[in-house]
Amino acid sequence: MAKTALIQRELKRDKLVAKYAPKMAELKAIANDLKKSDEERAAARVAMQKIPRNANPTRQRNRCAITGRPRGTFKQFGLARNKIREMAFTGDIPGVIKASW
């Protein structure tokens, strides 16, 4: 089980990303628009730099929904590999069976 503080930090990042997403998209559109003047584009880049770092979606980490494990998580299930294995053996995930050949 991951530390509770690390899980809470990720939840805080999720909230920040959601909060600043519209503003970030607007500024990014201005910065990439070649029809705008260089001063406007530079001002948009400066404004983007002033947004908190944790508001950037690339700083988010996929974590297991059950254990909070940060590595080896499957996006399809939202679970870590070892939890998928345990749940597949017990039959909790429909359609997933142990391979044998």
Side-chain angles (χ1 to χ4, degrees), residues 30-95:
I30 293 170
N32 292 334
D33 189 7
L34 296 177
K35 295 176 184 174
K36 301 277 185 184
S37 68
D38 289 339
E39 292 81 22
E40 287 177 316
R41 294 174 64 203
R45 286 192 200 99
V46 169
M48 281 175 61
Q49 290 174 355
K50 290 183 180 177
I51 293 175
R53 284 187 177 185
N54 284 337
N56 196 337
T58 59
R59 292 179 67 95
Q60 289 176 309
R61 187 81 163 131
N62 292 332
R63 288 188 172 269
C64 176
I66 297 172
T67 61
R69 180 181 166 86
R71 295 174 185 258
T73 57
F74 285 67
K75 192 180 287 189
Q76 182 179 3
F77 301 107
L79 300 172
R81 58 184 171 74
N82 49 3
K83 284 297 170 186
I84 291 175
R85 186 171 189 267
E86 288 174 12
M87 293 177 80
F89 284 153
T90 58
D92 294 336
I93 303 175

